[in-house]
Amino acid sequence: MKLFKSADLIRKSKYISRDLSWLRFNYRVLDQAKDPGRTLFDRLRFMAITSSNLDEFFMIRVGSLYNYIDYGKERVDYSGLRELPFRRKLLDFAHRFVNDQSLTYLNELKPQFEKNGFNILRMDELTELELKKADGYFKNTIFPLLTPMVYDSYHGFPLMMNQMLIFGVVTRAGGLEADTEKGQERLTFVQIPQNLSRFFELTRKDRVIFVPIEEIVRANLPKLFRNVEIVSANLFRITRNGDFTLEESDDIDVDFIKEIQLGLKTRKKGRVVRLEVEPNASSLLMAVLRERWKIDNGNVFVISSLIDLKGLLQILRHPNFRGRGSRTPAPVPPLSLPEGTEENLFDYLKHHDVLLHHPYNSIEPVVRLLEQAAEDPHVLGIKQTIYRLADDSRVTAALLKAAENGKHVSVLFEVKARFDEERNIREGAKLEKAGCFVIYGVSKYKTHTKMMMIIRKEGEKVTRYVHIGSGNYNEQTSRIYTDVSLLTTNDVYGHDVSEFFNVITGHSQPDEYEYLITAPKDMRQQLISLVREEVRNAKKGLPSGIVMKMNSLEDKEMIDEFYKASKAGVPIRFIVRGICCLRPGRAGLSENIEVRSIVGDFLEHSRLFYFHQAGQPKVYAGSADLMVRSFDRRIEALFLIVNPQLKREAINILYFNLKDNQNTYLMREDGAYIRRQPATDEPVFNVHREFYHRTYASMPETALYDEYLTRADMPVAAEDQPEAVPADDFPNAPETDEEQMSLVDLSQEAEEQAALE
């Protein structure tokens, strides 16, 4: 057993830590908030997104790590670090991110508020009239909702709600507390209800003033603590572990739903993994919170700016500022669905396949097809998988209407869709009451595939109308997520999808599919076979190449196959929005692999997999990323695009992604990212705008695609590159020794042990 320092171990590993890679992704989002080429309102939106992302990261990823630490279970990160050393690295990186986030808000965004028609002010910055309005808001709206909760030897420690703004108020005895020693300090908690707006809004001439709700409460705390001396009042916010694991069984029934609901309750009481607090907080308050929640300095984040930057979205929703961000063009018709044909989709789809590329194409054809099916007397049944739905979903409404009209409706609601569990249980119950056949999940697997089939009787024949894609049946997110989907009546797709529904709703195990690759059946192995075929072609001197676009690349088995393919000379290009655990451009390992990430106006959510096949390319699309969970713990489906015209469209999507020079970050061998800049003579190409102008005539011929998509550009060197996103293991860290000094003292002896290789 040989000991190595953590930084050396991270550098030597051929894999990159999933969690550290995610934090680098959030840095790319923060980089959008720093972009002076964007409007202030766009930058505020990205700043709010970084805050929302970080909340979920702590709830799930840091929460998952604590599931190992708290219960003494072993875990070795991809970086090679054990639980405690990895905790130290992860929290140190998170501290540096939060510091950069606060500095960006204070130094780059806040100074621009006034000239953009608004400001965020404290109570002491308000006029006398504005103070009266704020005090009136406190008296009439806030005060009745506040419940001070004292904590002492007579009162138990109150339940603190997850991600709620809370005041820890230290008072000195007096007044009614005659039985208490004079001068004794007591601690009381005041939670600010989450159903109140983040800011109180005022109008000052041509300005909108936003007053943080905590500042109004702070100024009025004496009204809650009469005849008591307030020693200190400090705002804080906690994040609890939200990663609960179900004990899976084969009985997916009412007991399973109860187990989900029980898990949701435990999420509300999960262990605290992060404490955000104002500077200079009371030592008494901090001592109590540290001891009560078993946390140390690593979990404590002192916030010098605004706690919970998600609240900035309220500014964007204000009537004065709607439309002040960048304007998204109206969706354009799909290339394969001419205008005027969507009124009777049944007739059109009988003879044509349609490829939809959201948000450039609206999800309207899919929703409209479902709504037409609900009313069409020839439709016999509808089968659908649902993972996440929009508020007031037209999809649910159409399924309810179909059931009311006597059609057979089968719906698989995935009640394990994280943070949408309650909504899906509620919507599923609504459909059940209407007479739909509802399944709430499949055994130990999470159903993540996006699939719909409409069965329609047409004369003596029954036609299956299939929709399958990478995105959710959610009208809201389809406007900001890039996704790819297929509408078809091709009998092979119909047969495969019918078999797939029999698998997930019944007890069927088909031998094989013709156009589908599914998980957990054999997706990993089929993809590995396709990679190995490229290797064989490269060794024979035939053209080869792989281009893949996805959200995350994490599965070690797949990564190892890509390393082997790179060594065999196969050029490989990845477009990975978020997590990437593969190291590109490492000598002797991955010289022929390039990784880029696109982060911009839209959230890149589509999955497309291109294999050159010696000039006869195969292209798959679907719901799965290259992750362990996708292959082993989820029900996923990739579909082969066989229509030549639609295949050309899909390849063009990859081509445009690789041409982008406005939203692209190139990954270095050390795991850092640099923002791609256009060459001197290279025209500006913004992928999030170009798809609105794409036509069949503007697409290059297939031969050009083959040459371009399979040409691996020289991987980005680790030196002599401009850096938009910090590149160190810990961004902006001062140079110290070879391991670099930690930003915070985690004060646990066990963490001083070196990691095991």
Side-chain angles (χ1 to χ4, degrees):
M1 183 167 56
K2 193 174 182 180
L3 300 178
F4 289 88
K5 290 186 176 180
S6 298
D8 288 337
L9 198 59
I10 290 173
R11 281 192 291 269
K12 290 176 181 177
S13 175
K14 66 177 181 177
Y15 308 110
I16 289 174
S17 163
R18 168 179 173 169
D19 294 327
L20 295 180
S21 178
W22 184 93
L23 283 169
R24 292 190 187 282
F25 160 68
N26 216 27
Y27 256 113
R28 299 196 289 281
V29 180
L30 182 62
D31 192 50
Q32 301 295 312
K34 294 181 177 183
D35 187 350
R38 290 189 173 278
T39 70
L40 173 64
F41 299 94
D42 280 342
R43 296 171 72 180
L44 290 174
R45 176 169 63 91
F46 281 108
M47 181 62 74
I49 291 170
T50 66
S51 182
S52 176
N53 286 349
L54 205 59
D55 283 351
E56 184 170 340
F57 178 76
F58 270 90
M59 286 183 67
I60 303 307
R61 296 306 306 165
V62 179
S64 173
L65 177 61
Y66 270 94
N67 287 341
Y68 288 88
I69 293 172
D70 289 343
Y71 297 101
K73 298 191 291 184
E74 291 188 359
R75 174 185 185 271
V76 179
D77 182 71
Y78 273 23
S79 63
L81 298 180
R82 291 286 299 275
E83 312 86 41
L84 294 177
F86 182 69
R87 170 189 177 272
R88 183 185 190 93
K89 289 292 184 186
L90 185 64
L91 292 180
D92 199 28
F93 202 155
H95 272 271
R96 294 176 188 279
F97 176 83
V98 169
N99 181 58
D100 285 354
Q101 186 187 45
S102 293
L103 290 175
T104 301
Y105 172 78
L106 292 171
N107 298 336
E108 300 184 37
L109 302 184
K110 200 171 189 304
Q112 298 186 49
F113 289 178
E114 274 288 337
K115 65 182 180 183
N116 278 276
F118 70 94
N119 213 334
I120 297 176
L121 300 180
R122 301 186 306 272
M123 292 286 279
D124 59 7
E125 297 175 293
L126 302 182
T127 65
E128 187 174 343
L129 179 59
E130 290 166 347
L131 276 172
K132 286 183 180 179
K133 290 180 179 178
D135 287 340
Y137 179 63
F138 177 83
K139 178 181 178 181
N140 297 321
T141 303
I142 302 175
F143 182 75
L145 296 174
L146 299 181
T147 305
M149 297 173 290
V150 67
Y151 171 58
D152 57 19
S153 55
Y154 299 101
H155 302 85
F157 193 82
L159 174 64
M160 306 286 182
M161 300 304 292
N162 186 43
Q163 297 178 6
M164 183 179 286
L165 297 174
I166 306 168
F167 273 106
V169 184
V170 178
T171 57
R172 192 165 283 125
L176 298 177
E177 302 178 281
D179 58 340
T180 307
E181 288 186 29
K182 187 176 181 180
Q184 180 180 345
E185 292 183 349
R186 301 177 73 183
L187 182 58
T188 302
F189 297 100
V190 179
Q191 303 191 60
I192 302 176
Q194 287 176 312
N195 57 355
L196 294 175
S197 297
R198 184 68 181 81
F199 300 103
F200 176 58
E201 299 176 2
L202 293 162
T203 302
R204 179 189 291 181
K205 295 182 180 178
D206 59 345
R207 295 282 182 274
V208 179
I209 303 301
F210 295 93
V211 185
I213 191 169
E214 65 268 22
E215 296 305 320
I216 299 176
V217 174
R218 192 195 308 272
N220 287 278
L221 281 174
K223 296 174 184 176
L224 293 171
F225 297 91
R226 298 186 185 277
N227 303 313
V228 174
E229 178 189 357
I230 297 177
V231 178
S232 64
N234 301 115
L235 187 73
F236 67 91
R237 179 176 181 263
I238 62 172
T239 306
R240 294 184 178 274
N241 180 2
D243 185 52
F244 67 85
T245 302
L246 297 172
E247 292 299 326
E248 309 288 4
S249 72
D250 291 332
D251 296 322
I252 309 300
D253 52 19
V254 176
D255 292 335
F256 179 72
I257 299 301
K258 287 181 178 177
E259 192 175 355
I260 290 279
Q261 292 168 332
L262 180 62
L264 294 175
K265 290 180 181 178
T266 64
R267 181 181 284 169
K268 294 177 181 177
K269 299 179 181 179
R271 79 105 70 220
V272 173
V273 295
R274 177 178 59 163
L275 168 63
E276 298 168 275
V277 65
E278 293 178 321
N280 306 313
S282 157
S283 57
L284 171 61
L285 170 68
M286 296 305 295
V288 168
L289 297 185
R290 281 191 178 97
E291 189 279 329
R292 181 73 193 184
W293 291 324
K294 295 181 175 58
I295 58 176
D296 57 29
N297 289 346
N299 305 97
V300 178
F301 290 75
V302 179
I303 308 298
S304 57
S305 58
L306 190 71
I307 293 180
D308 189 11
L309 291 164
K310 293 198 306 292
L312 295 171
L313 293 174
Q314 183 180 337
I315 297 172
L316 276 61
R317 291 192 291 265
H318 190 279
N320 286 23
F321 309 120
R322 287 178 191 157
R324 291 283 295 274
S326 58
R327 294 182 179 274
T328 301
V332 295
L335 295 180
S336 47
L337 183 65
E339 286 188 83
T341 56
E342 65 271 15
E343 289 305 316
N344 196 330
L345 284 166
F346 289 119
D347 285 347
Y348 185 80
L349 291 174
K350 275 189 285 190
H351 307 288
H352 305 87
D353 290 347
V354 174
L355 189 74
L356 299 170
H357 187 200
H358 312 296
Y360 315 104
N361 307 142
S362 170
I363 198 175
E364 186 67 20
V366 180
V367 177
R368 189 174 300 172
L369 181 68
L370 188 58
E371 290 172 340
Q372 289 178 7
E375 301 283 2
D376 191 313
H378 302 295
V379 169
L380 304 177
I382 301 170
K383 297 184 178 184
Q384 190 168 9
T385 61
I386 292 178
Y387 193 71
R388 299 190 196 278
L389 287 170
D391 297 324
D392 301 320
S393 170
R394 287 169 61 191
V395 171
T396 303
L399 293 172
L400 287 169
K401 176 62 70 174
E404 290 170 6
N405 288 338
K407 305 181 191 310
H408 173 82
V409 179
S410 299
V411 181
L412 192 150
F413 260 105
E414 184 44 78
V415 291
K416 298 189 289 292
R418 188 173 287 139
F419 304 126
D420 275 345
E421 299 97 340
E422 290 177 291
R423 180 208 300 266
N424 285 359
I425 290 172
R426 184 177 63 249
E427 293 297 293
K430 189 190 301 182
L431 290 173
E432 272 192 308
K433 288 180 182 177
C436 301
F437 177 53
V438 178
I439 302 168
Y440 290 102
V442 178
S443 185
K444 59 185 177 181
Y445 304 111
K446 182 180 286 189
T447 304
H448 188 247
T449 192
K450 330 295 182 181
M451 193 177 288
M452 177 178 74
M453 183 170 66
I454 296 167
I455 301 96
R456 187 172 189 255
K457 185 171 175 56
E458 297 171 351
E460 298 299 315
K461 180 185 175 185
V462 170
T463 303
R464 291 173 290 202
Y465 293 80
V466 167
H467 177 259
I468 183 169
S470 64
N472 296 307
Y473 292 101
N474 186 316
E475 304 96 291
Q476 293 166 332
T477 58
S478 70
R479 294 194 288 266
I480 55 175
Y481 286 23
T482 72
D483 275 303
V484 174
S485 65
L486 173 72
L487 282 166
T488 182
T489 55
N490 182 305
D491 282 339
V492 178
Y493 289 112
H495 174 268
D496 283 359
V497 170
S498 291
E499 289 287 340
F500 191 73
F501 271 111
N502 290 339
V503 169
I504 63 177
T505 63
H507 191 74
S508 173
Q509 292 295 328
D511 293 331
E512 61 181 36
Y513 302 102
E514 192 168 342
Y515 289 166
L516 295 186
I517 298 176
T518 65
K521 185 173 183 281
D522 60 0
M523 184 177 289
R524 181 190 283 114
Q525 287 309 311
Q526 288 214 42
L527 290 175
I528 286 174
S529 294
L530 288 164
V531 173
R532 289 177 178 174
E533 191 169 345
E534 296 302 315
V535 171
R536 286 193 294 271
N537 287 337
K539 289 180 177 179
K540 293 176 184 176
L542 297 173
S544 64
I546 297 169
V547 184
M548 291 188 170
K549 173 176 165 52
M550 68 201 84
N551 294 275
S552 301
L553 171 53
E554 174 255 1
D555 185 75
K556 276 187 179 180
E557 288 188 52
M558 288 299 310
I559 291 173
D560 287 344
E561 292 295 327
F562 293 132
Y563 287 154
K564 292 175 186 175
S566 173
K567 291 176 185 178
V570 179
I572 304 172
R573 309 178 84 173
F574 291 116
I575 306 154
V576 185
R577 170 175 55 88
I579 296 161
C580 182
C581 298
L582 175 148
R583 285 191 187 274
R586 173 167 282 191
L589 182 70
S590 53
E591 293 102 326
N592 290 313
I593 301 178
E594 174 199 89
V595 178
R596 61 184 64 203
S597 172
I598 293 178
V599 179
D601 290 336
F602 303 134
L603 185 141
E604 293 292 334
H605 193 251
S606 52
R607 292 92 169 180
L608 280 168
F609 305 124
Y610 167 99
F611 300 91
H612 189 277
Q613 296 266 304
Q616 300 296 321
K618 282 188 175 181
V619 182
Y620 287 89
S623 61
D625 291 309
L626 302 191
M627 304 185 75
V628 173
R629 70 183 187 190
S630 298
F631 294 145
D632 298 337
R633 300 194 298 274
R634 287 187 170 190
I635 293 176
E636 305 270 19
L638 300 176
F639 59 94
L640 181 65
I641 301 176
V642 295
N643 181 300
Q645 179 173 281
L646 303 193
K647 184 195 292 189
R648 186 180 173 205
E649 281 191 53
I651 294 173
N652 181 258
I653 292 173
L654 294 172
Y655 174 66
F656 272 25
N657 274 260
L658 293 174
K659 283 189 67 176
D660 176 82
N661 55 27
Q662 299 297 299
N663 311 282
T664 295
Y665 296 81
L666 301 174
M667 184 178 178
R668 303 192 328 190
E669 184 273 341
D670 62 1
Y673 288 77
I674 63 167
R675 194 162 188 171
R676 186 188 170 207
Q677 302 294 338
T680 306
D681 58 347
E682 184 182 10
V684 168
F685 195 94
N686 186 332
V687 71
H688 290 157
R689 290 293 175 263
E690 292 295 333
F691 280 116
Y692 288 105
H693 311 296
R694 185 176 62 153
T695 65
Y696 280 127
S698 69
M699 291 186 196
E701 293 301 320
T702 305
L704 179 72
Y705 287 136
D706 290 346
E707 189 278 328
Y708 185 83
L709 295 180
T710 59
R711 184 187 73 238
D713 293 341
M714 185 64 66
V716 182
E719 61 278 341
D720 300 325
Q721 292 289 344
E723 295 181 12
V725 179
D728 302 320
D729 279 332
F730 306 106
N732 301 335
E735 292 294 333
T736 56
D737 62 11
E738 61 180 330
E739 193 171 15
Q740 296 187 317
M741 189 177 296
S742 177
L743 185 72
V744 291
D745 175 14
L746 302 189
S747 62
Q748 287 191 13
E749 279 186 34
E751 295 201 11
E752 297 302 326
Q753 64 179 315
L756 301 180
E757 184 172 34

